[in-house]
Amino acid sequence: MTPAAGRVSSEELRSHQWYGTDGLRSFSHRARTRQLGYLPEEHLGKPVIAILNTWSDINPCHVHLRERAQAVKRGVWQAGGFPLEFPVSTLSETFQKPTPMLYRNMLAMETEELLRSYPVDGAVLLGGCDKSTPALLMGAASADLPAVFVPAGPMLPGHWRDEVLGSGTDMWKYWDDKRAGLIGDCEMAELESGLARSPGHCMTMGTASTLTAAAEALGVTVPGASSIPAVDSGHDRMAARSGLAIVELVWQQRKLSDILTADAYEDAVATVLALGGSTNAVIHLIAMAGRSGITLTLDDFDRIARTVPVLANLRPGGKYLMEDFHFAGGLPGFLARLTDVLHLDRPTVTHDTLRAQLDGALVHNSDVIRERDNPLADEGGVAVLRGNLCPDGAVIKHIAAEPHLLRHTGPAVVFDDYQEMQRTINDPALALTPDHVLVLRNAGPKGGPGMPEYGMLPIPDYLLKQGVRDMVRLSDARMSGTSYGACVLHIAPESYVGGPLALVRSGDLITLDVEARLLHLDVSEEELSRRRAGWTPPANRYERGYGALYQDQITQADTGCDFAFLARPGDVPDPYAG
C-alpha cells in the first residue's frame, strides 16, 4: 500500500486512551500489561492489533489457524505494531447443530463488541469456514476499525483410487451411488479417508471459497489470499503480510467503511456470480452490506447476473478444484478478466485502487479460468425467482442443475419438516416420479431453526436405481455450496411465518421457469385465501436463551437473516477508557 501523506500520531491512536494519559485508569492498564510480561517499549505508542482467531480443535477448516496467528503476529511486530490474540466463537460447518447459521450473528456480535471494548486500533480476522467470513466482517464493519481478513484457505484435493475428489460435491455423488447400489461399504470406508486430506475449508467453489473470494473482491484481504491452499507455505507468508498491512492501515486510519463501499459490494456480487459461487453468498452479502449502511437486494443480484458470464470452471458446476484455480492465477487473474464490469478506482487494504492491485495479474490456464468468449455459462451462476410462491424472492444455482429441469411443471409432494422427509422419502407408497416437485417447508430462518442446509432434498432410492440424479426441489432452507441439482432455495417469506409455501398441498401443480425467473403455484387466489384463513402459526421453539433472542430478532432470507436490532442504523459510542 502506498503510504499516505496524513499518518496519525501515536497520541491519536485509539489505544492511547487506555495507555497514554496520566490518570489512575491508564496507570492500572499499564501495570496490568506489565503483569502480562510486556515491556513498555513493546507496546506504548504503537498500534495495538487484535487478532481474532476462530481456531478450535473441532473445526477442521480452521485447525491450522493457531499457527497462522503466529505468522500474523510476526508481521505485526515487524511493522512496529503490538499484536494481541483473542479467541472468538468457532463455527464448525461439519459438527455444529442444528446449523452454524444459527450462530453467525452471535459471532458478529462478539466481534463487534470485542473490538469496541478493548484497547485496539485495528484487527486481523482469521476465518474461512462458511459462516465465519461474513460474521467476522459484519461485526468488524459495525465496529468500523481498520481491519484485514485472513482466509483459512482450501484443503488439499481429495483422492480415492484414481479419482481426484472434491469435498462435499463428491460426498453427495458417492452417497447417492451407495444408495443406488453402485458401490458398497468397502468403497465408502476408503472414501472416508480420502475425501478430506488436510486442514482447510472445502476445495470446491462451495460457500467457504465463495465467501473468501468475495472478501478478496471487496478489498479486505491481501491480493491472492483467498485461494492459497491452507497447508501451502504461501499461506503462512500471506498471514505475515496481513500483519504488515494492518499496521500501515492503522497509521493511515483507513477504516473498513473506506473499503466496504457500495461499489465494492457490487464487485463482490459480480465476482460471486462469475465464479458460479454458492447461493449462500446472496444472504451473507446482503447482511454484510447492511452492516456497512448499504442496501443490497435480490434484484441487484439478478441485474448483475445478466451482465457477467461464469468464467470459473470449478466444481460443483465445473471440473476443477481450488488448488487448480490458485495456480491458474487465483482471484487476481480471474478479476483481470472482469475489469470491464468492476469499479477499479476504489481502495483496498493494500492499494489505493483496485486497478493498481490488479496491475500485472495473469491467467496461466484458460480452461480453469475461462476467456470471456469461452465461458462456462453466458450469465452469472445464480438466478433470482419471483412468483406467487415466493413474493419476496427465491434463488436457484441453475448452472449446477440438469438443463431439462430449468423449465418444468409437476405435481408437488409436500414434507412438513426435514424429519418427516427423512422418514418417508423412500416409501414406495408416495409413488414419486422424476416429474414430481419435492417441497420441504419449516426449514427457513425461524422454522429450521437457523435455515439449515436441507435444500438438496434426497432423491428416493428407487429413482436413483433407475438412473434419476436430479429433480426439482423447493424449500425455504439453504443448501451447501458444494451441492448441486435443481434446488430452489431461500423461498421468502418462509412457511413458518405463513409464507405461501405453508399453503402448498401435495398434488398442486408448480411451475419453475428459470429463464422467465418464475416460480408459480397453480392454485387460484381464492383457494389460497381459504387455505390461509385455516393456517395456524406454530408455537415458538425457544422459551429462553440465545434461541429466544434469535427467533425474536431474525429477519428473512431476502434481507440477509441479520438480527433486526443489529441491522438497523444508529450510532454506538466508543467506551470511555479513562
Side-chain angles (χ1 to χ4, degrees):
M1 182 166 55
T2 304
R7 290 162 64 97
V8 299
S9 67
S10 59
E11 288 77 18
E12 295 174 277
L13 294 174
R14 186 174 179 271
S15 58
H16 182 78
Q17 302 171 48
W18 273 262
Y19 286 119
T21 70
D22 293 328
L24 172 62
R25 293 297 179 191
S26 282
F27 171 80
S28 173
H29 298 150
R30 293 191 298 268
R32 293 299 186 175
T33 306
R34 305 300 163 266
Q35 181 185 6
L36 291 167
Y38 295 113
L39 294 166
E41 295 85 352
E42 292 185 81
H43 74 97
L44 288 180
K46 297 180 178 181
V48 178
I49 305 301
I51 301 171
L52 272 56
N53 195 347
T54 53
W55 167 88
S56 85
D57 275 330
I58 200 167
N59 191 335
C61 306
H62 295 182
V63 73
H64 59 303
L65 291 185
R66 187 158 54 174
E67 289 74 30
R68 295 301 174 270
Q70 300 308 308
V72 174
K73 290 178 183 178
R74 189 174 78 231
V76 171
W77 286 119
Q78 184 69 23
F82 178 63
L84 295 171
E85 185 177 355
F86 293 78
V88 292
S89 300
T90 192
L91 305 182
S92 177
E93 197 67 32
T94 308
F95 292 103
Q96 195 169 26
K97 307 299 181 188
T99 166
M101 184 64 177
L102 187 70
Y103 302 103
R104 182 200 69 181
N105 297 341
M106 185 173 74
L107 175 55
M109 284 194 294
E110 183 180 15
T111 299
E112 176 182 353
E113 297 305 326
L114 187 152
L115 294 179
R116 181 173 290 115
S117 60
Y118 279 96
V120 299
D121 301 299
V124 178
L125 315 169
L126 276 63
C129 193
D130 297 10
K131 314 307 177 294
S132 61
T133 299
L136 290 166
L137 288 172
M138 287 164 66
S142 293
D144 198 23
L145 298 179
V148 176
F149 183 74
V150 171
M155 68 177 89
L156 295 176
H159 281 276
W160 176 59
R161 298 182 179 178
D162 64 341
E163 292 193 38
V164 177
L165 303 178
S167 61
T169 301
D170 282 308
M171 179 184 73
W172 312 119
K173 175 183 181 295
Y174 285 109
W175 188 255
D176 281 353
D177 280 354
K178 180 179 185 296
R179 293 171 59 220
L182 300 176
I183 60 175
D185 292 340
C186 291
E187 290 87 352
M188 294 302 291
E190 292 175 14
L191 282 160
E192 278 188 22
S193 298
L195 196 62
R197 298 172 48 234
S198 77
H201 58 66
C202 292
M203 74 304 248
T204 57
M205 187 45 68
T207 304
S209 291
T210 301
L211 266 295
T212 55
E216 183 173 340
L218 284 167
V220 297
T221 76
V222 301
S226 63
S227 62
I228 304 173
V231 295
D232 193 299
S233 63
H235 199 268
D236 221 34
R237 297 191 298 273
M238 177 270 294
R241 186 179 178 191
S242 300
L244 289 165
I246 187 58
V247 176
E248 182 62 29
L249 282 170
V250 169
W251 285 126
Q252 293 188 17
Q253 284 299 287
R254 184 174 287 182
K255 299 181 179 180
L256 264 185
S257 56
D258 299 318
I259 308 294
L260 297 179
T261 62
D263 286 348
Y265 281 106
E266 286 219 348
D267 289 353
V269 171
T271 300
V272 165
L273 294 168
L275 285 167
S278 168
T279 50
N280 287 311
V282 178
I283 292 175
H284 295 314
L285 282 171
I286 288 173
M288 291 160 63
R291 293 297 191 94
S292 298
I294 294 161
T295 300
L296 188 65
T297 70
L298 291 177
D299 291 337
D300 292 318
F301 277 84
D302 202 53
R303 168 179 57 82
I304 296 170
R306 297 175 189 272
T307 68
V308 294
V310 177
L311 299 182
N313 188 8
L314 299 172
R315 300 184 201 180
K319 175 182 177 182
Y320 295 101
L321 297 173
M322 286 303 297
E323 188 171 25
D324 305 306
F325 181 77
H326 178 65
F327 292 113
L331 205 73
F334 180 81
L335 294 181
R337 291 192 165 168
L338 290 172
T339 52
D340 59 310
V341 300
L342 300 176
H343 300 86
L344 297 173
D345 295 320
R346 59 182 177 87
T348 71
V349 295
T350 57
H351 289 78
D352 289 329
T353 66
L354 178 62
R355 186 188 310 277
Q357 181 164 310
L358 296 180
D359 184 40
L362 298 173
V363 173
H364 310 296
N365 185 329
S366 288
D367 192 36
V368 179
I369 301 174
R370 296 289 186 88
E371 299 274 5
R372 290 292 288 271
D373 60 1
N374 183 35
L376 205 68
D378 291 332
E379 289 189 355
V382 175
V384 175
L385 307 175
R386 301 281 183 177
N388 68 345
L389 197 49
C390 55
D392 292 337
V395 301
I396 181 171
K397 187 173 180 177
H398 52 93
I399 65 165
E402 291 190 6
H404 75 278
L405 293 174
L406 299 181
R407 181 179 292 168
H408 178 83
T409 298
V413 175
V414 179
F415 303 96
D416 280 324
D417 58 51
Y418 193 71
Q419 289 78 12
E420 178 196 351
M421 183 276 299
Q422 287 180 307
R423 289 192 305 269
T424 62
I425 189 67
N426 290 314
D427 186 350
L430 288 178
L432 293 174
T433 72
D435 291 331
H436 276 96
V437 176
L438 305 182
V439 177
L440 173 67
R441 54 188 173 210
N442 295 314
K446 290 193 177 186
M451 209 178 179
E453 293 182 339
Y454 291 162
M456 189 182 172
L457 277 68
I459 293 169
D461 289 355
Y462 54 86
L463 290 182
L464 287 172
K465 291 173 181 177
Q466 296 171 26
V468 177
R469 286 306 176 103
D470 201 2
M471 295 173 67
V472 175
R473 290 161 273 180
L474 316 181
S475 72
D476 44 16
R478 298 176 300 109
M479 78 174 184
S480 168
T482 65
S483 301
Y484 49 85
C487 302
V488 177
L489 310 159
H490 312 179
I491 290 177
E494 65 175 307
S495 56
Y496 198 80
V497 300
L501 194 65
L503 311 179
V504 181
R505 295 179 180 174
S506 291
D508 290 347
L509 289 178
I510 293 175
T511 294
L512 167 67
D513 188 335
V514 173
E515 184 178 357
R517 301 298 199 258
L518 177 68
L519 183 65
H520 182 74
L521 176 63
D522 190 15
V523 174
S524 70
E525 187 55 44
E526 292 77 16
E527 173 61 19
L528 290 177
S529 295
R530 282 192 291 272
R531 295 181 187 182
R532 191 174 291 110
W535 179 78
T536 302
N540 284 337
R541 293 181 179 273
Y542 297 95
E543 295 184 352
R544 60 163 303 280
Y546 175 77
L549 172 67
Y550 177 92
Q551 69 190 9
D552 180 62
Q553 291 291 324
I554 196 68
T555 63
Q556 289 293 295
D558 60 303
T559 55
C561 295
D562 201 356
F563 286 165
F565 76 94
L566 295 174
R568 67 184 180 224
D571 292 330
V572 179
D574 245 10
Y576 176 63

